Amino acid sequence: VCIGYFMIGHQIIFRFFKNLFKGRIFDENFLMTVASIGALITQHYVEAAVVMILYQLGEFLQNVAVNRTRKSIADLLSYEVQTVKLKLGDEVSEVGVEGVLPDDVIVVGKGEMIPVDGRVCKGKTYLDTKNITGESRARSVGVGDEVLSGSLNIGNIVEIRVIRTYNNSMMTRILDLVENATINKSKAENFITRFCKYYTPIVVLIAAIILIVGTVSSFFIQEVEWTHWVYVAMEFLVISCPCALVISVPLSFFCAIGVASKRGILIRGSNYLESMYHMENIVFDKTGTLTKGDFNITEIIPAEGYRLEDVKRLVIYTEYYSEHPIGKSLVDSYGRDKVITEIISDFQALQGGARADINGSHILIATVNLAKKEKMTFPEIESPHLVLYVFKDKTYIGCVLVGDTVREEAFDTLSALRQRGVNKVYMLTGDSKIIGENVANMLQIDEVYAELLPDEKVELMDKIKESTKSKIGTTAYVGDGINDAPVIATSDVGIAMGDTASDATISIADIVIMTNDLNKLVELQYIAKKTRHKVIENIVFALSIKAIIMTIALVLHGGQFTMSLWLAIFSDVGVTLLAILNSLRIMRLFGRQSKIEQGELEEDE
């Protein structure tokens, strides 16, 4: 039995002595080694071996649990591409992926992974984007469409013009996010770390007191052997081992981060997941977040003597070179290939519009504020849509009403968030007050602030954070534009809608949602809630069982009575195994994918 004991427990004993020389004495290896040696001294050989066997079993199951959770991350890592097919003229050569630069053209065949972000410049195909977005539905792309690294080409051969280097591409940023997710620990994890730092030395001291006092008393009370108190102290050490807490709490958060990454939600650390559980307020950007950001001309009102088509054509031609989302959307919907670029000159982007010379005429497209600033004469029009006034050689020739479409899932998402404990919903936008209030009324948003600059958004975010009712209540901000980066950094939890989010926004966000689906916010809160429940369950369960059995061990140890070591072993290894299995229940979210997608999130499992 002793030989078997050392064969089974030599790794634990080795770690104990290794940590001893490094000054890390009081850990689970110390408790298991001392307890099992105590069993050998008192001639409980079977129990000594069983302590080691069950502890090893607990570590094995912990590793299995961690490896299962890492699978989603390993799936991402396995898609890293080392080489790409670079096209130079008519020749295609294979080069290292890190050597590809913006404006290079690469060739991606069927079944190959897109290595860097780019735009399709030749061909049409279908992409499997589940590694990026968590969605299995294939996406059709053609010339001009942006494609992200990590997407799998499941259709035809395409040529892609690179827009970002490998280090700045989406897949690399995802890997960095996921690999570093365990750095930022939650309050629960930090509490357990601090708790065990003081807890373990205290229980070792109590065990030593039991051993010393009991052994001394045995010399005066001959009925009780000194080995009895060695056994009692050993039991106390086994019972008090904090393995269940040390393992299960971080494991719960790790499982949750793995689940979220599989669903296209990237979380930088468990502290942000915990903050989502305490979310009291949520603040939204409007354009591209609550709305699709696809702007279309809903109505054209020409001035007397001008044709509707002439007004529309001048707007499209003037906005052709615009980088503003509204201008780009209008031109894209009209068709860039229909524009005769030779007649466009002297384009200038303005705050609230644009100007250009079209076929020799000076054209100004302006919002009401810009038109007044330019001292133009025009009939001011009230509309819930954005009104762009058109001037030709300083003469008003008409206006166009531009509308943005509210996302279909927006109303249901906000309703679901309110049902799950969100107190107030805010919207901060740089658009006009009329447009902002129109969207807010449609979605029943509590408070809306319009015509804001980025620094004004930050000031309002500080005020909203101060309005939380509880000390632990948090405020989350959801946005996608580069102008959202400052307020995302200011919020308790900054969330970027990653499909359309700017590089700056993704880089600074605490959580990145890789699709434009607002329902992912409900999923995120659901995962946060379940994780919190599992952490609390494990802490309460582990401490309660240990307290009960520890009390039994101290109170009932009298005379010749000896509590079975098996009960002590259960309080440590058994409770640890149950806590690990309870943490793994978070992984059941994978099996409930269809329910999550349909919004059928139950309150209890």
Side-chain angles (χ1 to χ4, degrees):
V1 175
C2 291
I3 295 175
Y5 162 79
F6 286 108
M7 290 180 63
I8 296 167
H10 70 278
Q11 291 180 337
I12 299 172
I13 298 172
F14 174 76
R15 287 199 298 265
F16 159 64
F17 283 107
K18 184 178 178 180
N19 291 339
L20 190 64
F21 288 113
K22 290 183 177 181
R24 298 197 302 265
I25 302 175
F26 300 110
D27 62 1
E28 57 269 24
N29 294 299
F30 170 84
L31 296 177
M32 291 297 101
T33 301
V34 173
S36 58
I37 291 175
L40 292 176
I41 293 174
T42 57
Q43 298 182 352
H44 291 83
Y45 304 117
V46 175
E47 286 88 341
V50 168
V51 167
M52 288 298 190
I53 290 173
L54 291 182
Y55 180 72
Q56 293 277 44
L57 177 62
E59 284 201 323
F60 170 75
L61 289 180
Q62 177 195 356
N63 291 332
V64 170
V66 170
N67 289 335
R68 279 189 60 190
T69 310
R70 286 185 183 274
K71 187 177 184 303
S72 59
I73 301 173
D75 288 343
L76 288 175
L77 294 173
S78 67
Y79 291 124
E80 286 189 289
V81 180
Q82 303 299 323
T83 60
V84 299
K85 297 175 182 175
L86 179 65
K87 185 176 182 180
L88 297 171
D90 294 330
E91 295 184 359
V92 177
S93 57
E94 199 164 285
V95 299
V97 67
E98 294 186 357
V100 177
L101 299 174
D103 287 332
D104 285 344
V105 175
I106 62 174
V107 179
V108 180
K110 182 178 181 179
E112 294 179 349
M113 194 68 60
I114 295 176
V116 291
D117 298 349
R119 292 187 185 276
V120 178
C121 59
K122 185 178 180 181
K124 185 177 181 180
T125 188
Y126 289 92
L127 299 180
D128 180 352
T129 62
K130 66 174 174 291
N131 302 318
I132 305 296
T133 65
E135 296 178 345
S136 58
R137 184 173 55 188
R139 174 191 168 200
S140 174
V141 295
V143 176
D145 290 332
E146 184 175 341
V147 292
L148 299 177
S149 59
S151 302
L152 181 66
N153 183 9
I154 58 176
N156 304 313
I157 295 176
V158 289
E159 293 182 10
I160 297 171
R161 188 173 299 278
V162 177
I163 60 175
R164 297 185 189 91
T165 62
Y166 173 74
N167 291 331
N168 292 322
S169 288
M170 182 61 69
M171 199 60 184
T172 305
R173 286 185 290 175
I174 290 175
L175 296 177
D176 290 341
L177 278 171
V178 177
E179 286 180 324
N180 297 321
T182 56
I183 294 176
N184 298 312
K185 293 186 177 183
S186 67
K187 291 182 180 179
E189 288 179 280
N190 289 326
F191 164 74
I192 293 301
T193 301
R194 292 194 303 270
F195 174 79
C196 292
K197 180 180 179 181
Y198 299 103
Y199 169 82
T200 306
I202 289 174
V203 297
V204 170
L205 178 62
I206 294 174
I209 292 173
I210 293 172
L211 177 61
I212 295 171
V213 173
T215 302
V216 172
S217 65
S218 65
F219 288 104
F220 299 98
I221 306 174
Q222 299 297 324
E223 297 177 356
V224 181
E225 294 290 334
W226 68 273
T227 55
H228 169 80
W229 295 107
V230 175
Y231 189 84
V232 173
M234 175 197 65
E235 281 183 337
F236 189 83
L237 288 177
V238 174
I239 295 168
S240 61
C241 186
C243 296
L245 299 177
V246 172
I247 293 174
S248 66
V249 173
L251 181 61
S252 296
F253 285 106
F254 193 70
C255 286
I257 291 173
V259 169
S261 65
K262 193 72 174 178
R263 300 289 304 155
I265 304 171
L266 306 180
I267 306 170
R268 288 188 185 272
S270 54
N271 55 329
Y272 303 118
L273 192 63
E274 191 170 59
S275 294
M276 284 300 299
Y277 173 80
H278 294 295
M279 183 173 64
E280 189 173 309
N281 302 320
I282 187 166
V283 185
F284 289 91
D285 173 47
K286 183 184 75 69
T287 306
T289 305
L290 291 175
T291 63
K292 293 182 177 180
D294 296 331
F295 297 91
N296 293 293
I297 295 176
T298 59
E299 187 178 355
I300 301 175
I301 306 175
E304 186 175 352
Y306 293 92
R307 295 189 308 164
L308 182 147
E309 282 300 320
D310 290 339
V311 175
K312 180 178 180 181
R313 184 176 63 86
L314 289 175
V315 170
I316 299 302
Y317 273 64
T318 304
E319 295 283 4
Y320 183 82
Y321 291 109
S322 175
E323 290 298 321
H324 192 280
I326 295 178
K328 292 173 69 174
S329 293
L330 294 180
V331 177
D332 289 339
S333 62
Y334 178 82
R336 289 187 175 272
D337 55 338
K338 298 178 183 179
V339 177
I340 303 172
T341 57
E342 289 79 7
I343 66 174
I344 307 173
S345 62
D346 296 330
F347 169 80
Q348 183 183 2
L350 303 172
Q351 182 71 36
R355 61 161 52 102
D357 288 343
I358 309 297
N359 207 18
S361 298
H362 182 72
I363 308 299
L364 173 66
I365 311 296
T367 59
V368 62
N369 291 334
L370 178 60
K372 290 179 179 179
K373 183 179 179 181
E374 294 286 332
K375 298 181 180 179
M376 296 294 179
T377 302
F378 62 98
E380 193 168 339
I381 296 174
E382 291 288 333
S383 172
H385 299 294
L386 175 65
V387 182
L388 294 178
Y389 299 92
V390 186
F391 302 90
K392 181 179 181 181
D393 295 327
K394 296 187 177 181
T395 301
Y396 173 73
I397 65 170
C399 67
V400 295
L401 274 58
V402 178
D404 189 8
T405 307
V406 174
R407 296 189 183 279
E408 293 85 353
E409 75 278 9
F411 183 82
D412 290 339
T413 296
L414 299 190
S415 298
L417 291 173
R418 286 191 180 95
Q419 292 173 5
R420 286 168 171 78
V422 172
N423 183 43
K424 294 189 75 172
V425 178
Y426 298 83
M427 185 175 76
L428 306 182
T429 178
D431 272 345
S432 67
K433 186 176 181 180
I434 294 176
I435 296 174
E437 289 180 347
N438 181 53
V439 174
N441 290 334
M442 291 174 61
L443 300 178
Q444 298 181 7
I445 292 174
D446 298 305
E447 293 186 29
V448 56
Y449 299 91
E451 301 176 358
L452 299 174
L453 296 175
D455 59 326
E456 294 173 325
K457 285 187 175 183
V458 172
E459 291 177 7
L460 282 168
M461 173 56 72
D462 290 334
K463 292 179 181 178
I464 293 171
K465 286 166 61 178
E466 292 173 1
S467 69
T468 53
K469 293 183 178 180
S470 61
K471 291 183 179 179
I472 60 174
T474 60
T475 299
Y477 183 87
V478 186
D480 71 321
I482 191 170
N483 62 322
D484 292 317
V487 70
I488 279 179
T490 305
S491 61
D492 295 320
V493 187
I495 303 173
M497 300 296 287
D499 187 65
T500 56
S502 67
D503 293 346
T505 307
I506 292 177
S507 299
I508 207 167
D510 306 314
I511 297 173
V512 179
I513 296 177
M514 300 308 301
T515 69
N516 289 325
D517 185 4
L518 287 170
N519 284 320
K520 292 290 183 180
L521 293 171
V522 183
E523 288 185 34
L524 175 60
Q525 195 184 34
Y526 175 74
I527 293 171
K529 180 178 179 180
K530 290 301 177 184
T531 305
R532 174 75 174 189
H533 287 175
K534 290 292 171 279
V535 168
I536 297 300
E537 286 171 7
N538 287 339
I539 291 175
V540 173
F541 173 69
L543 293 180
S544 298
I545 295 297
K546 288 181 181 296
I548 292 172
I549 297 181
M550 202 176 291
T551 302
I552 294 174
L554 292 176
V555 173
L556 298 184
H557 269 302
Q560 298 296 324
F561 176 75
T562 302
M563 185 183 73
S564 173
L565 185 61
W566 294 99
L567 192 57
I569 292 172
F570 166 76
S571 71
D572 174 46
V573 181
V575 170
T576 300
L577 297 181
L578 292 175
I580 289 174
L581 293 174
N582 192 39
S583 297
L584 282 177
R585 293 179 67 195
I586 296 173
M587 302 295 288
R588 290 177 56 196
L589 291 172
F590 282 126
R592 303 173 68 193
Q593 179 169 332
S594 60
K595 286 190 176 183
I596 291 177
E597 289 176 342
Q598 297 168 10
E600 300 173 7
L601 305 179
E602 302 170 5
E603 291 302 314
D604 298 305
E605 293 183 326

